[in-house]
């Protein structure tokens, strides 16, 4: 079964300046998937999410969520999805417990259900000790967790979470991902996650779309995105002062290295890396070398590669 | 993609699952009650100091005016007591509510409500109702102290139980409209302050001493009708018909301004129209 959840084709032209925050984005998210939108600040992730949640109407394109056309019926979005935005101002002056309960009531739950779900969610997230504290007086991570709790009260088949774990400690993060996993296992909940945290994306997401400049640069599993960097490795060389001028292998590599101060970062084939390492660990180059590291590619490399390919029109390393 | 006949343009989607059922939307009254309750609790949690400022300001005006107005059943004394009592309502329902909605809009807090299946009227009426409720204790205290200071009868102070909600509805509706439509938070604050200043300047002084133009302005202000209704009840034999008419104006303005506020909310919450 092919459980298509949503498709966007959006081109968003805003105001007179014609800023295209989303420039023809198309994505399919499958049911029961934890899907990530990864991209730098200003990439258009939040614009995309605001259209999905019915807060913004796309200028063009279509949004289909669980069989509902949300461009024609944006008012259905709140009945299909739970949304965790980046701001907590609406809940700041409520206690954690009342924020969760009120949100449940406003999601249409009867009073008793809202109270029961409130208690269950607070217990699940370990928020009980904070239940009577105002949301606005908690630390950043705790506040985020309290808002996440409110987003969970009143079950929805789709959760849209905009950077849910910002500022959280590892315990809170684990509570968030455990809660997400539980809902996915028990109810087949689909999760759309906005993040610019690459490390988190690598561990929790089933699939990820890299968004940059309002476009989707790539969309695949974290593993396959890493493969986009072609099995190339990352070599970092740190010089004591300057790179030695008269080592031929280095001279050839210098043009392709990303240079930041004394540090060179090179993405290259394992063979060339071996050659370079041999060259810099002997002779005059070794004298000039402060440190070096050799690593297999991470999602961050894929992400940076994709961004760089887009930005500087450099010859990219995308495998067809 | 599965094999599909070319001719079926709208694709009857044989392979697609049926649309997911929609969760029920929140109904107006329970949602209104939930918003109201949450808003009331804010007063406790945030211990909004401005609620006290509202009362102190009015008490200060009473004491100050006592220096220039004789006590007893004269028009001026009535205007001062009624005006400063209703001023508490203007301060909280108009000024503070405008600031609250202005802040909510500027900081993206409205998104929270806009992504919940709540009728807009529930959010607006819940918040407006709570702000109007905040004003009741301050108004009662101001009226009681004022009546004592200026030697006015306490017999009909109960009329405040009608004046506060009705003037509160009219003023909080205006406050919400200002807060929700102001393009910037500072402008929302400014409009709220201006509204309250108008209620202060035009409400506390007796109308008989005002020039014609100012009196016209005063007639345009909804709080005026709350002040008039309250002031009339200090008479030995109040003209209840006139009191009722004044309150009816408040109610009508309240209905209009809260309807406008609901539309303003809808506009502000879904900026993409």
């Amino acid at each position: 079964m092919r459980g298509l959840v949503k498709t966007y084709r959006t081109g968003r032209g805003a105001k007179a300046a014609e800023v295209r925050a989303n420039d023809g984005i198309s994505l399919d998210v499958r049911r029961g998937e934890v899907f990530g939108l990864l991209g730098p600040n200003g990439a258009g992730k939040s614009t995309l999410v605001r259209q999905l949640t019915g807060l913004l109407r796309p200028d063009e394109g279509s949004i289909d969520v669980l069989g509902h056309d949300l461009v024609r019926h944006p008012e259905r979005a709140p009945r299909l999805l739970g949304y965790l935005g980046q701001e907590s101002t609406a809940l700041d002056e409520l206690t954690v417990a009342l924020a969760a309960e009120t949100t449940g009531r406003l999601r249409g739950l009867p009073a008793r259900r809202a109270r029961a779900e409130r208690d269950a969610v607070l217990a699940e997230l370990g928020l009980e000790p904070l239940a009577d504290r105002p949301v606005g007086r908690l630390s950043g991570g705790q506040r985020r967790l309290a808002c996440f709790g409110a987003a969970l009260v009143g079950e929805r088949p789709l959760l849209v979470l905009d950077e849910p774990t910002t500022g959280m400690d590892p315990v809170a993060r684990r509570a968030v991902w455990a809660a997400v996993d539980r809902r996915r296992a028990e109810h087949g909940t689909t999760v759309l996650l906005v993040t610019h945290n690459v490390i988190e994306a690598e561990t929790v997401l089933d699939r990820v779309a890299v968004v940059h400049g309002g476009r989707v640069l790539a969309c695949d599993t974290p593993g396959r995105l890493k493969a986009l960097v072609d099995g190339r490795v990352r070599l970092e060389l740190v010089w004591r002062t300057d790179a030695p001028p008269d080592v031929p292998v280095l001279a050839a590599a210098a043009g392709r290295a990303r240079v930041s101060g004394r540090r060179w970062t090179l993405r290259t084939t394992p063979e060339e890396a071996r050659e370079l390492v041999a060259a810099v660990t002997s002779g005059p180059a070794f004298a000039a070398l402060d440190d070096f590291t050799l690593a297999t590619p991470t999602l961050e490399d894929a992400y940076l590669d994709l961004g760089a390919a887009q930005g500087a029109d450099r010859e990219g390393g995308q495998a067809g | 993609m599965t094999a599909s006949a070319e001719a079926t343009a709208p694709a009857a989607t044989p392979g697609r699952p049926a649309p997911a059922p929609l969760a029920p939307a929140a109904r107006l009254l329970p949602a209104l009650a939930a918003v109201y309750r949450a808003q009331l609790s804010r007063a406790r949690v945030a211990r909004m100091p401005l609620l006290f400022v509202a009362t102190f300001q009015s008490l200060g005006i009473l004491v100050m005016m006592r220096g220039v107005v004789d006590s007893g059943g004269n028009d001026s004394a009535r205007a001062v007591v009624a005006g400063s009592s209703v001023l508490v309502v203007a301060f909280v329902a108009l000024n503070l509510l405008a600031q609250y909605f202005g802040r909510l809009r500027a900081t993206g807090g409205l998104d929270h409500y806009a992504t919940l299946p709540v009728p807009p009227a529930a959010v607006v009426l819940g918040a407006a109702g709570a702000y109007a409720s905040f004003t009741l204790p301050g108004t009662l205290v101001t009226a009681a102290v004022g009546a004592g200071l200026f030697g006015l009868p306490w017999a009909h102070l109960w009329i405040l139980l009608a004046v506060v909600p009705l003037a509160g509805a009219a003023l909080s509706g205006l406050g919400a409209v200002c807060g929700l439509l102001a393009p910037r938070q500072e402008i929302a604050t400014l409009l709220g302050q201006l509204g309250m200043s108008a209620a202060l300047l035009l409400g506390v002084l007796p109308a008989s001493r005002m020039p014609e133009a100012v009196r016209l302005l005063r007639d345009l202000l909804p709080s005026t009708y709350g002040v008039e209704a309250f002031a009339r009840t200090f008479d030995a034999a109040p003209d209840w018909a006139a009191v009722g008419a004044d309150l009816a104006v408040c109610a009508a303005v309240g209905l209009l301004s809260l309807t406008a506020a609901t539309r303003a909310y809808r506009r502000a919450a879904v900026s993409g129209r």
Side-chain angles (χ1 to χ4, degrees):
Chain A
M1 189 183 91
R2 202 169 151 256
L4 178 78
V5 179
K6 34 189 175 291
T7 326
Y8 321 79
R9 263 165 273 283
T10 43
R12 176 150 182 81
K15 310 218 166 134
E18 273 279 311
V19 181
R20 289 203 157 215
N22 286 174
D23 197 357
I25 290 184
S26 293
L27 289 173
D28 287 355
V29 179
R30 302 183 191 117
R31 287 192 193 197
E33 190 171 48
V34 179
F35 187 94
L37 287 173
L38 182 66
N41 293 328
K45 296 169 298 192
S46 289
T47 306
L48 190 60
V49 163
R50 290 174 64 79
Q51 294 171 71
L52 179 64
T53 51
L55 290 169
L56 271 180
R57 175 166 295 212
D59 295 339
E60 287 169 37
S62 62
I63 301 172
D64 183 292
V65 172
L66 299 159
H68 295 273
D69 177 352
L70 288 192
V71 176
R72 197 175 301 164
H73 304 287
E75 77 286 351
R76 288 185 189 170
R79 298 170 64 185
L80 285 167
L81 56 89
Y83 173 60
L84 172 65
Q86 292 195 23
E87 296 300 334
S88 66
T89 36
L91 301 177
D92 270 349
E93 285 156 330
L94 306 182
T95 63
V96 173
L98 189 58
E101 184 188 337
T102 305
T103 307
R105 293 284 279 143
L106 299 184
R107 276 211 183 92
L109 296 184
R112 279 177 64 188
R113 267 284 294 291
R115 280 197 295 273
E117 288 205 20
R118 168 201 71 190
D119 293 341
V121 165
L122 293 193
E124 183 181 7
L125 298 178
L127 281 168
E128 281 160 329
L130 304 176
D132 294 325
R133 302 258 308 271
V135 172
R137 287 198 213 132
L138 301 176
S139 75
Q142 291 174 328
R143 194 184 321 152
R144 211 72 198 115
L145 190 61
C147 292
F148 175 69
L152 294 183
V153 179
E155 200 77 46
R156 291 286 188 266
L158 171 65
L159 288 174
V160 179
L161 310 173
D162 198 342
E163 308 199 350
T165 53
T166 309
M168 282 188 191
D169 63 30
V171 179
R173 276 170 200 268
R174 215 172 305 142
V176 168
W177 300 127
V180 164
D181 271 346
R182 193 166 307 130
R183 273 153 190 80
R184 177 158 64 153
E186 288 170 13
H187 309 282
T189 307
T190 309
V191 181
L192 183 80
L193 177 74
V194 177
T195 181
H196 57 218
N197 185 335
V198 184
I199 294 159
E200 197 157 80
E202 205 164 340
T203 52
V204 301
L205 299 177
D206 295 323
R207 287 196 309 142
V208 55
V210 179
V211 183
H212 188 91
R215 290 170 187 273
V216 176
L217 299 187
C219 176
D220 217 323
T221 62
R224 291 232 195 89
L225 281 185
K226 283 198 279 189
L228 282 182
V229 284
D230 280 352
R232 292 187 303 166
V233 294
R234 179 163 44 94
L235 177 63
E236 281 192 5
L237 301 171
V238 186
W239 307 106
R240 289 183 199 282
T241 48
D242 289 315
D246 41 353
V247 179
V249 195
L250 282 177
R256 283 174 292 125
R258 193 197 314 242
V259 180
S260 120
R262 300 181 297 127
R263 180 183 299 268
W264 288 17
T265 306
L266 267 163
R267 217 141 310 131
T268 180
T269 60
E271 292 74 33
E272 198 196 6
R274 210 171 300 133
E275 209 177 321
L276 281 165
V277 169
V280 299
T281 48
S282 62
F286 187 61
L289 189 69
D290 190 24
D291 193 13
F292 80 94
T293 44
L294 184 61
T296 52
T298 60
L299 187 54
E300 183 161 14
D301 290 323
Y303 172 62
L304 289 174
D305 253 20
L306 289 163
Q310 170 81 3
D313 208 23
R314 223 178 53 172
E315 86 164 85
Q318 277 120 311
Chain B
M1 236 166 267
T2 47
S4 59
E6 276 179 321
T8 52
T13 64
R16 285 184 55 174
L22 292 168
R27 280 171 304 121
L28 177 66
L29 286 180
L32 198 160
V35 173
Y36 179 78
R37 180 168 162 237
Q39 290 288 346
L40 271 196
S41 87
R42 285 180 57 229
R44 223 178 9 211
V45 167
R47 288 188 209 94
M48 288 192 261
L50 287 173
L51 294 183
F52 296 100
V53 173
T55 311
F56 289 144
Q57 173 183 269
S58 286
L59 291 176
I61 289 167
L62 283 177
V63 171
M64 191 176 73
M65 293 304 278
R66 184 64 189 81
V68 289
V69 173
D70 294 330
S71 80
N74 61 68
D75 271 357
S76 301
R78 282 173 205 176
V80 169
V81 175
S84 39
S85 302
V86 175
L87 179 61
V88 180
V89 183
F91 190 105
V92 176
L94 202 163
N95 186 18
L96 294 189
L97 189 62
Q99 291 187 31
Y100 173 72
F101 272 126
R103 188 164 45 108
L104 212 55
R105 184 180 172 199
T107 55
L110 283 182
D111 289 359
H112 176 75
Y113 291 111
T115 51
L116 297 172
V118 207
V123 178
V124 171
L125 293 179
Y131 273 73
S133 308
F134 293 154
T135 70
L136 191 59
T139 313
L140 287 173
V141 168
T142 307
V145 170
L149 240 117
F150 286 85
L152 295 172
W154 294 32
H156 300 307
L157 287 192
W158 57 264
I159 193 71
L160 285 175
L161 296 179
V163 170
V164 170
L166 292 173
L171 292 169
S172 62
L174 280 184
V177 169
C178 291
L180 288 167
L181 290 188
R184 291 212 321 267
Q185 194 181 351
E186 299 76 27
I187 294 180
T189 305
L190 185 79
L191 289 174
Q193 296 276 7
L194 278 177
M196 187 197 64
S197 303
L200 165 63
L201 297 173
L202 302 175
V204 172
L205 299 176
S208 51
R209 306 241 179 118
M210 291 178 182
E212 190 60 34
V214 180
R215 211 179 304 174
L216 267 174
L217 207 62
R218 181 179 182 271
D219 288 346
L220 287 176
L221 201 68
S223 64
T224 301
Y225 299 90
V227 175
E228 298 256 300
F230 183 28
R232 286 180 207 282
T233 63
F234 287 124
D235 286 346
D239 179 353
W240 291 111
V243 171
D246 282 332
L247 290 179
V249 174
C250 281
V253 174
L255 201 66
L256 282 177
S257 70
L258 287 170
T259 308
T262 301
R263 303 185 83 158
Y265 167 85
R266 206 171 285 157
R267 224 190 87 153
V270 187
S271 48
R273 272 177 297 164

PDB file of all heavy atoms in Angstrom, chain B residues 18-42:
ATOM      1  N   ALA B  18      -9.049   5.995   2.304  1.00  0.00           N
ATOM      2  CA  ALA B  18     -10.104   7.000   2.463  1.00  0.00           C
ATOM      3  C   ALA B  18      -9.569   8.147   3.314  1.00  0.00           C
ATOM      4  O   ALA B  18      -8.666   7.953   4.124  1.00  0.00           O
ATOM      5  CB  ALA B  18     -11.301   6.356   3.142  1.00  0.00           C
ATOM      6  N   PRO B  19     -10.124   9.358   3.128  1.00  0.00           N
ATOM      7  CA  PRO B  19      -9.672  10.482   3.959  1.00  0.00           C
ATOM      8  C   PRO B  19      -9.813  10.155   5.445  1.00  0.00           C
ATOM      9  O   PRO B  19     -10.768   9.502   5.847  1.00  0.00           O
ATOM     10  CB  PRO B  19     -10.618  11.618   3.569  1.00  0.00           C
ATOM     11  CG  PRO B  19     -11.138  11.244   2.234  1.00  0.00           C
ATOM     12  CD  PRO B  19     -11.140   9.754   2.166  1.00  0.00           C
ATOM     13  N   ALA B  20      -8.851  10.595   6.206  1.00  0.00           N
ATOM     14  CA  ALA B  20      -8.903  10.348   7.638  1.00  0.00           C
ATOM     15  C   ALA B  20     -10.079  11.098   8.246  1.00  0.00           C
ATOM     16  O   ALA B  20     -10.421  12.190   7.793  1.00  0.00           O
ATOM     17  CB  ALA B  20      -7.605  10.810   8.279  1.00  0.00           C
ATOM     18  N   PRO B  21     -10.727  10.514   9.255  1.00  0.00           N
ATOM     19  CA  PRO B  21     -11.830  11.232   9.894  1.00  0.00           C
ATOM     20  C   PRO B  21     -11.306  12.483  10.597  1.00  0.00           C
ATOM     21  O   PRO B  21     -10.199  12.481  11.133  1.00  0.00           O
ATOM     22  CB  PRO B  21     -12.370  10.218  10.900  1.00  0.00           C
ATOM     23  CG  PRO B  21     -11.252   9.266  11.128  1.00  0.00           C
ATOM     24  CD  PRO B  21     -10.455   9.211   9.864  1.00  0.00           C
ATOM     25  N   LEU B  22     -12.111  13.530  10.564  1.00  0.00           N
ATOM     26  CA  LEU B  22     -11.714  14.771  11.231  1.00  0.00           C
ATOM     27  C   LEU B  22     -12.073  14.679  12.706  1.00  0.00           C
ATOM     28  O   LEU B  22     -13.158  14.225  13.059  1.00  0.00           O
ATOM     29  CB  LEU B  22     -12.451  15.952  10.610  1.00  0.00           C
ATOM     30  CG  LEU B  22     -12.085  16.318   9.176  1.00  0.00           C
ATOM     31  CD1 LEU B  22     -13.100  17.296   8.617  1.00  0.00           C
ATOM     32  CD2 LEU B  22     -10.691  16.899   9.116  1.00  0.00           C
ATOM     33  N   ALA B  23     -11.167  15.105  13.553  1.00  0.00           N
ATOM     34  CA  ALA B  23     -11.487  15.169  14.983  1.00  0.00           C
ATOM     35  C   ALA B  23     -12.569  16.230  15.176  1.00  0.00           C
ATOM     36  O   ALA B  23     -12.657  17.173  14.392  1.00  0.00           O
ATOM     37  CB  ALA B  23     -10.233  15.531  15.764  1.00  0.00           C
ATOM     38  N   PRO B  24     -13.414  16.068  16.207  1.00  0.00           N
ATOM     39  CA  PRO B  24     -14.454  17.072  16.398  1.00  0.00           C
ATOM     40  C   PRO B  24     -13.842  18.432  16.729  1.00  0.00           C
ATOM     41  O   PRO B  24     -12.791  18.505  17.371  1.00  0.00           O
ATOM     42  CB  PRO B  24     -15.244  16.531  17.593  1.00  0.00           C
ATOM     43  CG  PRO B  24     -14.299  15.620  18.287  1.00  0.00           C
ATOM     44  CD  PRO B  24     -13.414  15.039  17.233  1.00  0.00           C
ATOM     45  N   ALA B  25     -14.480  19.500  16.261  1.00  0.00           N
ATOM     46  CA  ALA B  25     -14.033  20.840  16.621  1.00  0.00           C
ATOM     47  C   ALA B  25     -14.576  21.170  18.007  1.00  0.00           C
ATOM     48  O   ALA B  25     -15.556  20.586  18.461  1.00  0.00           O
ATOM     49  CB  ALA B  25     -14.537  21.846  15.599  1.00  0.00           C
ATOM     50  N   ALA B  26     -13.913  22.107  18.688  1.00  0.00           N
ATOM     51  CA  ALA B  26     -14.418  22.546  19.994  1.00  0.00           C
ATOM     52  C   ALA B  26     -15.686  23.364  19.765  1.00  0.00           C
ATOM     53  O   ALA B  26     -15.754  24.156  18.830  1.00  0.00           O
ATOM     54  CB  ALA B  26     -13.358  23.377  20.694  1.00  0.00           C
ATOM     55  N   ARG B  27     -16.691  23.140  20.611  1.00  0.00           N
ATOM     56  CA  ARG B  27     -17.913  23.931  20.479  1.00  0.00           C
ATOM     57  C   ARG B  27     -17.744  25.270  21.188  1.00  0.00           C
ATOM     58  O   ARG B  27     -16.883  25.418  22.062  1.00  0.00           O
ATOM     59  CB  ARG B  27     -19.105  23.146  21.029  1.00  0.00           C
ATOM     60  CG  ARG B  27     -19.613  22.122  19.998  1.00  0.00           C
ATOM     61  CD  ARG B  27     -20.637  21.176  20.573  1.00  0.00           C
ATOM     62  NE  ARG B  27     -20.102  20.486  21.748  1.00  0.00           N
ATOM     63  CZ  ARG B  27     -20.646  20.552  22.959  1.00  0.00           C
ATOM     64  NH1 ARG B  27     -21.729  21.259  23.170  1.00  0.00           N
ATOM     65  NH2 ARG B  27     -20.104  19.888  23.962  1.00  0.00           N
ATOM     66  N   LEU B  28     -18.594  26.222  20.810  1.00  0.00           N
ATOM     67  CA  LEU B  28     -18.417  27.603  21.271  1.00  0.00           C
ATOM     68  C   LEU B  28     -18.371  27.723  22.797  1.00  0.00           C
ATOM     69  O   LEU B  28     -17.420  28.248  23.355  1.00  0.00           O
ATOM     70  CB  LEU B  28     -19.523  28.494  20.699  1.00  0.00           C
ATOM     71  CG  LEU B  28     -19.483  29.940  21.180  1.00  0.00           C
ATOM     72  CD1 LEU B  28     -18.241  30.647  20.670  1.00  0.00           C
ATOM     73  CD2 LEU B  28     -20.725  30.708  20.745  1.00  0.00           C
ATOM     74  N   LEU B  29     -19.413  27.205  23.466  1.00  0.00           N
ATOM     75  CA  LEU B  29     -19.500  27.485  24.904  1.00  0.00           C
ATOM     76  C   LEU B  29     -18.409  26.794  25.728  1.00  0.00           C
ATOM     77  O   LEU B  29     -17.771  27.448  26.557  1.00  0.00           O
ATOM     78  CB  LEU B  29     -20.898  27.151  25.427  1.00  0.00           C
ATOM     79  CG  LEU B  29     -21.949  28.189  24.994  1.00  0.00           C
ATOM     80  CD1 LEU B  29     -23.325  27.832  25.531  1.00  0.00           C
ATOM     81  CD2 LEU B  29     -21.552  29.599  25.433  1.00  0.00           C
ATOM     82  N   PRO B  30     -18.170  25.488  25.511  1.00  0.00           N
ATOM     83  CA  PRO B  30     -17.070  24.882  26.277  1.00  0.00           C
ATOM     84  C   PRO B  30     -15.725  25.552  25.984  1.00  0.00           C
ATOM     85  O   PRO B  30     -14.914  25.756  26.916  1.00  0.00           O
ATOM     86  CB  PRO B  30     -17.050  23.426  25.794  1.00  0.00           C
ATOM     87  CG  PRO B  30     -18.372  23.190  25.167  1.00  0.00           C
ATOM     88  CD  PRO B  30     -18.867  24.504  24.673  1.00  0.00           C
ATOM     89  N   ALA B  31     -15.488  25.926  24.716  1.00  0.00           N
ATOM     90  CA  ALA B  31     -14.222  26.562  24.380  1.00  0.00           C
ATOM     91  C   ALA B  31     -14.132  27.931  25.042  1.00  0.00           C
ATOM     92  O   ALA B  31     -13.097  28.326  25.587  1.00  0.00           O
ATOM     93  CB  ALA B  31     -14.089  26.702  22.863  1.00  0.00           C
ATOM     94  N   LEU B  32     -15.251  28.654  25.015  1.00  0.00           N
ATOM     95  CA  LEU B  32     -15.285  29.974  25.659  1.00  0.00           C
ATOM     96  C   LEU B  32     -14.983  29.835  27.154  1.00  0.00           C
ATOM     97  O   LEU B  32     -14.184  30.584  27.721  1.00  0.00           O
ATOM     98  CB  LEU B  32     -16.677  30.575  25.450  1.00  0.00           C
ATOM     99  CG  LEU B  32     -16.871  32.074  25.633  1.00  0.00           C
ATOM    100  CD1 LEU B  32     -18.136  32.507  24.925  1.00  0.00           C
ATOM    101  CD2 LEU B  32     -16.937  32.482  27.082  1.00  0.00           C
ATOM    102  N   ALA B  33     -15.608  28.819  27.767  1.00  0.00           N
ATOM    103  CA  ALA B  33     -15.376  28.612  29.194  1.00  0.00           C
ATOM    104  C   ALA B  33     -13.910  28.287  29.461  1.00  0.00           C
ATOM    105  O   ALA B  33     -13.325  28.780  30.431  1.00  0.00           O
ATOM    106  CB  ALA B  33     -16.277  27.485  29.704  1.00  0.00           C
ATOM    107  N   ALA B  34     -13.318  27.468  28.584  1.00  0.00           N
ATOM    108  CA  ALA B  34     -11.909  27.096  28.785  1.00  0.00           C
ATOM    109  C   ALA B  34     -11.001  28.313  28.650  1.00  0.00           C
ATOM    110  O   ALA B  34     -10.077  28.500  29.451  1.00  0.00           O
ATOM    111  CB  ALA B  34     -11.510  26.015  27.781  1.00  0.00           C
ATOM    112  N   VAL B  35     -11.260  29.147  27.644  1.00  0.00           N
ATOM    113  CA  VAL B  35     -10.443  30.348  27.457  1.00  0.00           C
ATOM    114  C   VAL B  35     -10.631  31.285  28.648  1.00  0.00           C
ATOM    115  O   VAL B  35      -9.669  31.825  29.202  1.00  0.00           O
ATOM    116  CB  VAL B  35     -10.808  31.078  26.145  1.00  0.00           C
ATOM    117  CG1 VAL B  35     -10.082  32.415  26.046  1.00  0.00           C
ATOM    118  CG2 VAL B  35     -10.458  30.214  24.943  1.00  0.00           C
ATOM    119  N   TYR B  36     -11.878  31.465  29.064  1.00  0.00           N
ATOM    120  CA  TYR B  36     -12.185  32.356  30.185  1.00  0.00           C
ATOM    121  C   TYR B  36     -11.442  31.899  31.444  1.00  0.00           C
ATOM    122  O   TYR B  36     -10.788  32.690  32.126  1.00  0.00           O
ATOM    123  CB  TYR B  36     -13.698  32.366  30.409  1.00  0.00           C
ATOM    124  CG  TYR B  36     -14.153  33.237  31.558  1.00  0.00           C
ATOM    125  CD1 TYR B  36     -14.236  34.611  31.402  1.00  0.00           C
ATOM    126  CD2 TYR B  36     -14.495  32.682  32.783  1.00  0.00           C
ATOM    127  CE1 TYR B  36     -14.654  35.420  32.449  1.00  0.00           C
ATOM    128  CE2 TYR B  36     -14.916  33.475  33.839  1.00  0.00           C
ATOM    129  CZ  TYR B  36     -14.994  34.843  33.664  1.00  0.00           C
ATOM    130  OH  TYR B  36     -15.388  35.633  34.701  1.00  0.00           O
ATOM    131  N   ARG B  37     -11.524  30.607  31.697  1.00  0.00           N
ATOM    132  CA  ARG B  37     -10.886  30.072  32.898  1.00  0.00           C
ATOM    133  C   ARG B  37      -9.371  30.263  32.832  1.00  0.00           C
ATOM    134  O   ARG B  37      -8.731  30.672  33.816  1.00  0.00           O
ATOM    135  CB  ARG B  37     -11.244  28.593  33.005  1.00  0.00           C
ATOM    136  CG  ARG B  37     -10.643  27.939  34.180  1.00  0.00           C
ATOM    137  CD  ARG B  37     -11.221  26.564  34.443  1.00  0.00           C
ATOM    138  NE  ARG B  37     -10.296  25.877  35.313  1.00  0.00           N
ATOM    139  CZ  ARG B  37      -9.727  24.715  35.027  1.00  0.00           C
ATOM    140  NH1 ARG B  37     -10.026  24.097  33.904  1.00  0.00           N
ATOM    141  NH2 ARG B  37      -8.892  24.170  35.873  1.00  0.00           N
ATOM    142  N   ALA B  38      -8.807  29.991  31.664  1.00  0.00           N
ATOM    143  CA  ALA B  38      -7.361  30.132  31.518  1.00  0.00           C
ATOM    144  C   ALA B  38      -6.957  31.590  31.700  1.00  0.00           C
ATOM    145  O   ALA B  38      -5.973  31.902  32.365  1.00  0.00           O
ATOM    146  CB  ALA B  38      -6.923  29.623  30.145  1.00  0.00           C
ATOM    147  N   GLN B  39      -7.748  32.502  31.130  1.00  0.00           N
ATOM    148  CA  GLN B  39      -7.432  33.928  31.249  1.00  0.00           C
ATOM    149  C   GLN B  39      -7.536  34.392  32.698  1.00  0.00           C
ATOM    150  O   GLN B  39      -6.694  35.159  33.170  1.00  0.00           O
ATOM    151  CB  GLN B  39      -8.370  34.756  30.373  1.00  0.00           C
ATOM    152  CG  GLN B  39      -8.137  34.606  28.883  1.00  0.00           C
ATOM    153  CD  GLN B  39      -6.865  35.291  28.429  1.00  0.00           C
ATOM    154  OE1 GLN B  39      -6.284  36.092  29.150  1.00  0.00           O
ATOM    155  NE2 GLN B  39      -6.419  34.965  27.239  1.00  0.00           N
ATOM    156  N   LEU B  40      -8.569  33.924  33.392  1.00  0.00           N
ATOM    157  CA  LEU B  40      -8.716  34.320  34.799  1.00  0.00           C
ATOM    158  C   LEU B  40      -7.505  33.859  35.597  1.00  0.00           C
ATOM    159  O   LEU B  40      -7.011  34.577  36.460  1.00  0.00           O
ATOM    160  CB  LEU B  40      -9.975  33.696  35.389  1.00  0.00           C
ATOM    161  CG  LEU B  40     -11.277  34.462  35.279  1.00  0.00           C
ATOM    162  CD1 LEU B  40     -12.287  33.873  36.253  1.00  0.00           C
ATOM    163  CD2 LEU B  40     -11.120  35.946  35.551  1.00  0.00           C
ATOM    164  N   SER B  41      -7.040  32.657  35.273  1.00  0.00           N
ATOM    165  CA  SER B  41      -5.915  32.131  36.047  1.00  0.00           C
ATOM    166  C   SER B  41      -4.654  32.952  35.789  1.00  0.00           C
ATOM    167  O   SER B  41      -3.764  32.982  36.625  1.00  0.00           O
ATOM    168  CB  SER B  41      -5.660  30.674  35.695  1.00  0.00           C
ATOM    169  OG  SER B  41      -4.796  30.582  34.575  1.00  0.00           O
ATOM    170  N   ARG B  42      -4.585  33.602  34.617  1.00  0.00           N
ATOM    171  CA  ARG B  42      -3.418  34.435  34.339  1.00  0.00           C
ATOM    172  C   ARG B  42      -3.270  35.520  35.401  1.00  0.00           C
ATOM    173  O   ARG B  42      -2.164  35.878  35.790  1.00  0.00           O
ATOM    174  CB  ARG B  42      -3.530  35.099  32.971  1.00  0.00           C
ATOM    175  CG  ARG B  42      -3.292  34.167  31.813  1.00  0.00           C
ATOM    176  CD  ARG B  42      -3.415  34.918  30.516  1.00  0.00           C
ATOM    177  NE  ARG B  42      -2.504  36.034  30.465  1.00  0.00           N
ATOM    178  CZ  ARG B  42      -2.842  37.267  30.126  1.00  0.00           C
ATOM    179  NH1 ARG B  42      -4.079  37.546  29.793  1.00  0.00           N
ATOM    180  NH2 ARG B  42      -1.952  38.210  30.099  1.00  0.00           N
TER     181      ARG B  42
END
